């Protein structure tokens, strides 16, 4: 994902896929894919079944998250569910596989902030990164508790509803 993302940014091709129609369609399509992948009652766990083949498959599918409207965590959970991992295990895989990608993006962002001429702006951005980290930890804790009990249908409903709203805005 990092290599493809770098290429898309450097070639400026990423800007060509950033439009409301693509966001709307990918939001709907990957919401439907999440719905179907979450219908299985699966038993695989990370400890006994996660291997290089699983990581590579999920990593390759994460490349789709470079397209606006495709959630990185959503596609990772969907991919893990397609590989027959339990819902909670799929979320853990998503969080673990986010570390390298988000780490590189954060380093790139921090470098750009620190090289800025406006120190006040840099401080605000660094403080925002810190708050983002804290809220991410809180979100992870409660998301894992939520999916132990409930399905992912609320996210499916949200994605499909948002997708249709965006389609209405785009085409009306």
């Amino acid at each position: 994902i990092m290599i493809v993302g770098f290429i898309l940014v450097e070639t400026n091709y990423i800007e060509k896929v950033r439009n409301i129609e693509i966001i709307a369609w990918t939001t709907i399509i990957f919401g439907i894919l999440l719905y179907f992948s979450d219908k299985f009652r699966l038993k695989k766990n990370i400890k006994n079944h996660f291997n290089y083949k699983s990581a590579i498959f999920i990593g390759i599918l994460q490349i789709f998250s470079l397209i606006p409207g495709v959630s990185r965590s959503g596609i990772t959970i969907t991919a893990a569910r397609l590989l027959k991992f339990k819902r909670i295990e799929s979320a853990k895989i998503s969080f673990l596989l986010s570390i390298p990608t988000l780490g590189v993006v954060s380093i790139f962002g921090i470098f750009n902030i620190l090289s800025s001429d406006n120190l006040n702006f840099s401080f605000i951005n660094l403080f925002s990164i810190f708050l983002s980290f804290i809220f991410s930890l809180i979100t992870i804790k409660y998301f894992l508790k939520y999916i132990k009990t409930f399905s992912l249908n609320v996210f499916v409903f949200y994605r499909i509803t948002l997708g249709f709203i965006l389609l209405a805005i785009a085409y009306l």
Side-chain angles (χ1 to χ4, degrees):
I1 189 171
M2 291 181 273
I3 294 167
V4 174
F6 178 77
I7 292 168
L8 290 176
V9 169
E10 287 299 310
T11 61
N12 208 30
Y13 188 73
I14 194 73
E15 295 302 321
K16 294 179 182 175
V17 295
R18 288 189 176 175
N19 63 62
I20 197 165
E21 292 92 356
I22 288 177
I23 295 170
W25 284 111
T26 55
T27 300
I28 292 168
I29 291 166
F30 286 96
I32 292 169
L33 187 60
L34 178 62
Y35 172 80
F36 285 112
S37 72
D38 195 44
K39 289 298 154 198
F40 307 110
R41 297 225 180 256
L42 308 170
K43 307 251 188 274
K44 285 186 177 179
N45 60 37
I46 296 172
K47 184 177 180 182
N48 298 323
H49 300 100
F50 192 73
N51 54 35
Y52 288 115
K53 187 177 175 182
S54 301
I56 290 169
F57 175 76
I58 294 169
I60 289 170
L61 287 186
Q62 278 189 1
I63 292 171
F64 285 114
S65 70
L66 296 170
I67 302 169
V70 179
S71 161
R72 192 215 49 83
S73 61
I75 192 67
T76 306
I77 291 170
T78 300
R81 297 290 288 156
L82 291 172
L83 290 174
K84 301 183 189 235
F85 283 94
K86 294 182 214 176
R87 190 178 297 127
I88 190 81
E89 298 294 309
S90 298
K92 288 178 183 178
I93 291 168
S94 174
F95 293 135
L96 289 172
L97 290 180
S98 73
I99 294 169
T101 303
L102 297 178
V104 169
V105 169
S106 296
I107 290 168
F108 179 73
I110 290 171
F111 176 76
N112 285 339
I113 290 169
L114 294 176
S115 64
S116 167
D117 292 334
N118 186 343
L119 292 179
N120 186 33
F121 180 72
S122 296
F123 176 75
I124 291 170
N125 283 322
L126 291 173
F127 184 67
S128 298
I129 290 169
F130 172 75
L131 287 178
S132 177
F133 175 75
I134 298 300
F135 284 109
S136 294
L137 291 177
I138 293 167
T139 301
I140 289 169
K141 177 182 176 180
Y142 288 105
F143 180 71
L144 290 175
K145 284 184 178 186
Y146 174 83
I147 63 171
K148 281 182 183 177
T149 308
F150 301 103
S151 74
L152 298 170
N153 285 344
V154 68
F155 301 104
V156 170
F157 178 76
Y158 159 75
R159 289 187 65 85
I160 292 173
T161 303
L162 176 62
F164 280 117
I165 291 169
L166 292 174
L167 284 176
I169 292 169
Y171 294 112
L172 295 179

